[in-house]
Amino acid sequence: MAIEDPIVTGLDSGWAHINASKLSENQTLEADVVIVGSGAGGGVAAEILTEAGLSVIIVEGGQLKSSKDFVMEERVAYPDLYQQAAGMKTTDKAIGIFQGRGVGGSTTVNWTTSIRTPEPALDYWAQTKSVVGLSRTELDPWFEKMEQRLNISKWAYDPNRNNQALKQGCETLGWEHTVIKRNVKGCWNTGYCGMGCPVNAKQSMLVTTIPAALDRGATLVSQAQVIKLEHHNDKIFAVKAQAVDKNMKPMPVEVMFKAKHYILAAGAIHTPSIMLRSKLPDPHEIIGKRTFLHPTLLSGAVFSDPINGHSGAPQSIYSDEFVWQDGADGELGYKLEVPPIHPILIASKTVGYGKSHAQLMEKFNQLQVTIALVRDGYHDNSQGGQVKLTDHGFTLDYPLTDAFWRAARRAYASMAELQFAAGAQQVLPISEGMPYLSSWNEAKKAISEMDLAPLKTVVASAHVMGGCPFGEDPKLAMVNSFGESHYFDNLSVMDGSIFPTSLGANPQLSIYGITARNATRLAERLKPQAS
């Protein structure tokens, strides 16, 4: 079956794409709007603004890839499509962070899970973070719009065995569980979403909004890493970028972008980093602080039958049984999901070495993995991390607090209980020194006594949020509830950095819906008026 490659087709049709690494001299480009970043926020904004008749330039630090480049091999995907080759860590190396790199951003490599912003998060923002106009009643039309645009619907097929175990455990224990909505169209159910979709079924920005914007005349500049915003008084007057090679190594050419309006959509680490490098006014010292990760714990389980967690839709069932159990600002809750199980991914996120690690990998096809995503940012003892500049770039300092470790112990117990209820023969909490546990009773005792600590306990994240929060009170927020700067007339932020806490849910649909709302208002303000 022939698969249309929208990138190849679009480039052949004359899209305006500039690979900055191919430029031989400095350039200055102008448009009505310059968007920094091409992920969930940048892509949606680009489509809406070009639809309104505005000229748009999309600036992306990573490469432009297409389905022909997605060969379903981890050794290719991680260096090519992830920030720091999927090896990014927090300052103390205790948390590994997955973020996409390239046109489409993390939407090109995520696992397609699409969940509307939970009401407790929105209520908390309204009550404590001065966010207005973002109730679920007000947002649901925007979520519906983006669900239709990106073909987001419940996964209509049987979950793979990895997800089936999560479902089975929940059913046995009477725990809440939900079929996940996915942004796919004609999915082949291969299970390799994290390596870029080789059949263009994933409705990422790479195959939807970015092509739509380019069809309407937008310009895409790839391999141009934004250094800083140039500003004076209450105006941004340029974006300065450096050409980079495919490994993000700086090249001699600079590109200057000028526009009526600028949108930062570079993600929750790079948007604050650009702001810090630009020395934007920040009288209340907010930029980069309260960055959240949904720090995630893993529990392995060995089953007697093949799990083959590398095959089939990576995520199709989740459980919110424990997310809001103690209220928004009570003890930290956690969401239960499963990850895809690929050799390098799992080998790098498990513990032990030598013979013990080899024995674990020998059980690879019988291995089920459950993850617990801890909802951070609501508790006094859960203030998240801070993006800081360094001599060589940036770092995210994220201390793991007592409140997190209390949640971690509860999460390990929940995951073990669930896995035994689903029929696991053995459970292995992924923390150094933990043995295989052979029963729920044994697990309860061992987990209550287990030693939890940074670098000893494996913690990972694929959800970076916060660092440039929205809200009406400038003491709490850098941008207003529409993502418009409190300090510059012509600057907006449209990405996950605007969330004042974590979400308690996978973030892509929240970014899509809220960006659609905010970009539509911006388009009304900027679009050419009929004479």
Side-chain angles (χ1 to χ4, degrees):
M1 176 179 171
I3 302 166
E4 181 183 353
D5 187 328
I7 302 301
V8 171
T9 304
L11 291 172
D12 289 345
S13 73
W15 277 354
H17 169 238
I18 299 170
N19 180 342
S21 73
K22 305 292 186 188
L23 296 174
S24 57
E25 56 186 27
N26 294 347
Q27 303 274 321
T28 298
L29 301 172
E30 297 188 27
D32 292 326
V33 183
V34 168
I35 302 173
V36 179
S38 62
V44 170
E47 179 173 39
I48 290 172
L49 293 166
T50 53
E51 205 168 37
L54 295 157
S55 62
V56 169
I57 298 174
I58 307 158
V59 188
E60 168 59 50
Q63 295 177 273
L64 174 61
K65 299 276 189 178
S66 81
S67 52
K68 65 182 172 46
D69 302 304
F70 303 148
V71 296
M72 301 195 292
E73 291 187 25
E74 291 178 285
R75 62 178 177 168
V76 175
Y78 299 153
D80 274 3
L81 299 175
Y82 286 79
Q83 301 282 345
Q84 299 180 15
M88 188 190 296
K89 302 261 188 192
T90 50
T91 306
D92 64 359
K93 316 298 183 195
I95 309 176
I97 302 171
F98 296 99
Q99 269 200 308
R101 188 190 80 199
V103 175
S106 290
T107 73
T108 300
V109 294
N110 71 19
W111 302 335
T112 75
T113 297
S114 304
I115 302 171
R116 296 184 183 189
T117 316
E119 287 192 66
L122 296 172
D123 292 344
Y124 185 84
W125 297 351
Q127 291 161 10
T128 68
K129 301 298 178 186
S130 74
V131 176
V132 299
L134 284 159
S135 67
R136 269 296 290 272
T137 302
E138 291 162 303
L139 278 177
D140 276 352
W142 298 105
F143 291 138
E144 287 166 14
K145 172 186 170 80
M146 294 314 300
E147 286 167 353
Q148 289 176 13
R149 172 67 181 97
L150 302 174
N151 215 57
I152 292 170
S153 60
K154 283 187 177 180
W155 183 238
Y157 305 95
D158 290 339
N160 70 4
R161 184 70 182 91
N162 197 25
N163 283 271
Q164 177 66 34
L166 174 59
K167 180 181 178 185
Q168 189 176 342
C170 286
E171 287 177 342
T172 301
L173 295 166
W175 292 357
E176 184 278 343
H177 61 285
T178 303
V179 176
I180 286 176
K181 290 183 176 180
R182 308 182 65 222
N183 55 322
V184 294
K185 188 175 182 180
C187 178
W188 287 21
N189 206 13
T190 64
Y192 285 72
C193 306
M195 293 167 223
C197 182
V199 297
N200 296 312
K202 186 198 298 183
Q203 299 297 283
S204 70
M205 301 301 94
L206 181 64
V207 301
T208 56
T209 58
I210 298 290
L214 293 170
D215 283 343
R216 294 192 185 100
T219 298
L220 171 65
V221 183
S222 62
Q223 295 185 235
Q225 186 171 36
V226 169
I227 306 302
K228 65 176 181 177
L229 309 179
E230 303 284 3
H231 56 94
H232 181 66
N233 292 332
D234 60 351
K235 296 285 186 190
I236 305 294
F237 63 85
V239 168
K240 182 179 176 184
Q242 180 100 38
V244 292
D245 69 11
K246 65 178 184 179
N247 298 314
M248 303 299 288
K249 184 180 176 184
M251 300 180 73
V253 169
E254 291 183 353
V255 187
M256 192 74 82
F257 300 96
K258 296 192 174 185
K260 297 175 187 170
H261 199 93
Y262 301 84
I263 296 174
L264 284 178
I269 288 180
H270 293 291
T271 286
S273 295
I274 293 168
M275 290 181 146
L276 290 169
R277 283 198 298 270
S278 307
K279 301 186 186 323
L280 297 193
D282 183 17
H284 303 291
E285 299 183 346
I286 293 169
I287 298 174
K289 292 181 179 173
R290 291 184 59 81
T291 300
F292 301 104
L293 292 173
H294 286 155
T296 299
L297 305 143
L298 300 84
S299 181
V302 179
F303 281 70
S304 58
D305 61 316
I307 296 294
N308 294 328
H310 52 83
S311 177
Q315 294 189 319
S316 55
I317 303 288
Y318 69 79
S319 173
D320 275 354
E321 178 74 17
F322 301 99
V323 183
W324 305 101
Q325 202 169 56
D326 294 320
D329 56 358
E331 286 292 290
L332 276 58
Y334 44 89
K335 189 179 193 70
L336 300 178
E337 297 180 345
V338 307
I341 302 176
H342 294 285
I344 294 176
L345 181 67
I346 291 304
S348 63
K349 295 300 170 199
T350 48
V351 293
Y353 56 90
K355 184 180 283 189
S356 69
H357 195 264
Q359 288 172 340
L360 174 66
M361 295 306 289
E362 283 175 1
K363 300 170 183 173
F364 179 75
N365 284 332
Q366 279 72 46
L367 187 64
Q368 195 272 344
V369 178
T370 299
I371 55 177
L373 295 76
V374 177
R375 175 178 56 80
D376 49 348
Y378 299 80
H379 189 283
D380 288 343
N381 195 224
S382 177
Q383 298 298 311
Q386 181 175 356
V387 174
K388 301 176 181 176
L389 299 183
T390 68
D391 291 342
H392 306 290
F394 64 86
T395 187
L396 172 58
D397 185 15
Y398 190 109
L400 291 166
T401 66
D402 292 344
F404 168 77
W405 292 119
R406 292 198 299 273
R409 194 177 302 280
R410 297 196 306 277
Y412 278 123
S414 297
M415 291 189 286
E417 185 176 12
L418 179 137
Q419 289 168 317
F420 281 120
Q425 292 181 320
Q426 294 176 305
V427 166
L428 179 65
I430 307 297
S431 186
E432 191 66 47
M434 287 301 290
Y436 286 98
L437 305 166
S438 298
S439 70
W440 169 224
N441 282 335
E442 183 186 1
K444 267 194 296 190
K445 184 174 187 304
I447 291 170
S448 70
E449 298 170 350
M450 71 188 286
D451 187 16
L452 297 163
L455 303 177
K456 185 169 190 172
T457 303
V458 174
V459 185
S461 171
H463 301 164
V464 188
M465 300 154 282
C468 179
F470 63 178
E472 300 306 301
D473 184 351
K475 293 178 183 161
L476 300 173
M478 287 301 295
V479 296
N480 69 16
S481 302
F482 281 96
E484 300 160 343
S485 171
H486 283 305
Y487 304 99
F488 295 96
D489 290 343
N490 62 341
L491 176 65
S492 298
V493 178
M494 298 189 187
D495 58 25
S497 71
I498 61 175
F499 300 143
T501 64
S502 74
L503 302 173
N506 305 49
Q508 73 164 335
L509 182 52
S510 293
I511 300 173
Y512 294 145
I514 293 172
T515 297
R517 165 189 181 266
N518 296 353
T520 299
R521 167 167 147 136
L522 181 63
E524 284 296 317
R525 185 176 132 198
L526 297 178
K527 73 180 181 182
Q529 300 300 312
S531 56

